[in-house]
Amino acid sequence: MIWLRTAFLAIAWAILSLIVHASVGAPWGYIVMIGALTVILLWRAVRMQRVAQWARQPESTPPLSVGRWDDILAPLYRYTRTQARDIEAGREAMKSMLAAAQALPDGAVTLNAELQIDWANRMAQEHLGVRLPADRGHNILNLVRSPEFSAYAHQAEWPEPILVRVTRGHHDHLLMMQLTAYARDHRLLVTRDVTQIEKLETTRRDFVANVSHELRTPLTVLAGFLETLRDMPKEALSDEQREQYMALMTEQALRMQSIVADLLTLSTLESSPSAEPQRVRMSPLIEAARQQSEALSAGRHTFSWDIDPELDVLGAEPEISSAVANLLTNAVRYTPDGGAIAVRWTREGNGARYAVKDSGIGIASRHISRLTERFYRVDRGRSRAVGGTGLGLAITKHIAMRHDAELDIQSEVGKGSTFSLVFPAERLAETESPL
Ligand code: ADP
């Protein structure tokens, strides 16, 4: 105990002074007493100074051997150390929480009761254009200028999110926004960009509408003929007329069959994973497509072939065969009689190119980027007349993607087109060494 030690020291010095006083005489007793007191005071002043110095930076190590101060400084130092550690841990937790909030895929903005911005993460900057620290204290309604959002923000509660269309740069975005109250009088605004989801939903709706439309025409024709055949007395129709009706009905039924078959192919390509790539022998595969297209052309076109027999690819044979044949039959169908079709399967750089060049009707540049959309046709009537479904290039593009290949389209109206499949080096099969 500090007071006990101090009292003990004072008594010890008093006794020593009394002994000196009794044995040597009074002045020496006082001298010893005063001298001792001076030394003690000086010594204490030095220690006090070291303690005072430490107190200015209590997180540093406390001075050693400062006598009785040790008993005070040690617990104090332990306390400040624990405090400093707690503060550091709190700071780290705060930092990691802020980093997590920054990394959120959604936008987050904290607001006060007056809807003034307090803090926002990076995504909120992207979604709403909030810039910190410049926008701190600004009302969120100045950034999101939408009457619907303003009405929503002034509601007492926000059980549901709201969809708000905002313009960023030159693009429109659809944001899903949700306000939530937290702490006392604070609001958290969470934003999510749902533009892509909306686009997918529109594509899905358009697709269903397109399929219905495509099937409705042949079905209407078919139903019309069936009705005529049912309602007309047998003798009112000549055999020739009946034959004609039957032929037209068969044509429409086949048309529906091709559409359904192409739709099934597309859906299989979209939903099934790619099979383990196998070596696909291109030369016989192109030969089969050649026979098919020359039969379709029936001598109306001149063909030329430049096929590298050594060049094979790694992939799925039925898929590549379908893509190769599709580009060839399109060339035949969209090239008027007397036209020329040139087919090449050759090396190009480290990869290879399958190119079908025709001298056909050609395609205006504004259509080219849309040709691989489902049911997109430059001339609907013409496509129908040649038995097209509008799905061939969509299927071909899908197949190309599954083989890391590119579908390249070059065309000029009235001059002709070149449709190519460009395979990268990784998709080429090593030439088999002769035994
Ligand atoms: P379709 O069944 O209508 O041929 P595709 O998806 O195969 O459908 O082709 C889409 C459209 O691209 C066609 O309707 C046609 O307008 C155009 N097209 C395709 N190939 C050619 C070509 N070789 N020359 C000119 N136009 C073509």
Side-chain angles (χ1 to χ4, degrees):
M1 250 181 268
I2 296 170
W3 70 269
L4 209 63
R5 273 200 269 161
T6 312
F8 178 74
L9 197 66
I11 291 167
W13 276 111
I15 293 170
L16 187 67
S17 306
L18 281 175
I19 293 169
V20 173
H21 180 89
S23 50
V24 195
W28 283 108
Y30 291 130
I31 289 169
V32 168
M33 185 82 164
I34 290 164
L37 276 174
T38 313
V39 168
I40 287 173
L41 281 176
L42 272 175
W43 184 224
R44 287 210 166 159
V46 169
R47 283 172 167 182
M48 274 288 264
Q49 194 174 346
R50 285 166 67 196
V51 171
Q53 228 164 15
W54 172 80
R56 270 182 236 125
Q57 276 177 314
E59 64 280 0
S60 61
T61 326
L64 288 172
S65 315
V66 278
R68 260 145 256 154
W69 282 104
D70 286 342
D71 297 342
I72 299 167
L73 294 191
L76 214 60
Y77 176 61
R78 268 199 301 278
Y79 177 72
T80 45
R81 280 287 298 274
T82 322
Q83 284 289 93
R85 261 202 301 270
D86 286 354
I87 290 172
E88 189 51 34
R91 203 175 285 152
E92 281 303 313
M94 174 78 104
K95 250 202 241 165
S96 109
M97 252 149 55
L98 271 178
Q102 286 291 12
L104 274 179
D106 291 343
V109 187
T110 56
L111 308 163
N112 65 13
E114 277 74 50
L115 300 176
Q116 286 161 332
I117 298 166
D118 193 21
W119 173 88
N121 70 354
R122 261 193 294 273
M123 248 330 160
Q125 183 170 330
E126 207 169 285
H127 288 170
L128 308 172
V130 184
R131 311 237 165 246
L132 289 184
D135 285 331
R136 184 164 289 133
H138 286 193
N139 196 299
I140 188 73
L141 298 179
N142 291 337
L143 287 174
V144 187
R145 293 186 172 275
S146 144
E148 301 96 60
F149 179 69
S150 171
Y152 175 78
H154 287 109
Q155 280 173 206
E157 283 173 8
W158 308 277
E160 298 285 335
I162 182 179
L163 288 174
V164 180
R165 208 167 281 284
V166 295
T167 309
R168 245 184 294 131
H170 296 295
H171 300 284
D172 265 1
H173 288 262
L174 188 67
L175 294 183
M176 187 192 269
M177 300 194 182
Q178 169 91 59
L179 271 167
T180 315
Y182 77 98
R184 202 157 27 91
D185 278 350
H186 277 72
R187 319 247 178 283
L188 171 69
L189 173 66
V190 177
T191 61
R192 175 172 295 180
D193 194 334
V194 290
T195 319
Q196 221 42 33
I197 298 172
E198 192 207 23
K199 236 184 229 164
L200 280 179
E201 184 53 27
T202 315
T203 311
R204 193 191 61 80
R205 263 202 310 266
D206 287 354
F207 181 60
V208 173
N210 278 335
V211 171
S212 318
H213 179 78
E214 292 293 330
L215 291 176
R216 203 170 49 209
T217 319
L219 267 176
T220 313
V221 177
L222 210 60
F225 280 127
L226 282 173
E227 212 171 303
T228 316
L229 286 176
R230 196 193 58 200
D231 296 346
M232 264 195 178
K234 257 191 174 171
E235 50 292 354
L237 273 180
S238 67
D239 282 352
E240 203 178 296
Q241 269 175 319
R242 189 177 298 274
E243 270 309 305
Q244 198 190 352
Y245 280 13
M246 285 297 175
L248 286 167
M249 278 160 60
T250 311
E251 189 187 306
Q252 297 306 325
L254 287 176
R255 186 170 155 60
M256 285 194 290
Q257 221 170 26
S258 336
I259 293 175
V260 172
D262 277 359
L263 281 173
L264 280 175
T265 308
L266 251 186
S267 119
T268 312
L269 285 173
E270 273 175 354
S271 54
S272 67
S274 302
E276 186 61 32
Q278 303 285 332
R279 185 191 187 105
V280 179
R281 294 216 146 274
M282 288 297 277
S283 165
L285 188 148
I286 296 172
E287 178 55 33
R290 170 186 187 155
Q291 286 172 14
Q292 201 184 329
S293 57
E294 285 183 344
L296 183 68
S297 159
R300 291 176 294 131
H301 308 94
T302 22
F303 287 86
S304 66
W305 305 87
D306 174 8
I307 310 297
D308 183 339
E310 302 288 307
L311 210 50
D312 291 337
V313 300
L314 293 170
E317 174 150 0
E319 292 182 19
I320 295 187
S321 163
S322 156
V324 161
N326 186 271
L327 297 188
L328 248 173
T329 41
N330 269 359
V332 174
R333 293 187 306 167
Y334 297 105
T335 303
D337 295 358
I341 296 169
V343 183
R344 299 185 67 198
W345 169 237
T346 46
R347 281 192 184 275
E348 186 180 79
N350 292 330
R353 178 184 284 261
Y354 167 74
V356 181
K357 182 174 192 291
D358 65 51
S359 62
I361 56 175
I363 306 154
S365 58
R366 67 177 186 282
H367 296 294
I368 291 182
S369 63
R370 301 198 58 192
L371 290 184
T372 54
E373 286 175 23
R374 295 153 187 202
F375 296 117
Y376 190 86
R377 283 168 284 207
V378 176
D379 180 343
R380 201 165 273 271
R382 186 169 202 139
S383 159
R384 263 202 205 120
V386 295
T389 59
L391 294 169
L393 288 179
I395 294 174
T396 307
K397 167 87 182 214
H398 241 290
I399 294 173
M401 271 167 25
R402 279 161 73 97
H403 288 83
D404 310 313
E406 192 196 330
L407 172 62
D408 176 43
I409 308 174
Q410 306 293 329
S411 190
E412 215 177 310
V413 180
K415 293 215 168 137
S417 321
T418 305
F419 284 75
S420 311
L421 288 169
V422 187
F423 291 89
E426 312 82 76
R427 281 288 179 169
L428 294 190
E430 292 294 319
T431 315
E432 275 170 5
S433 50
L435 291 171

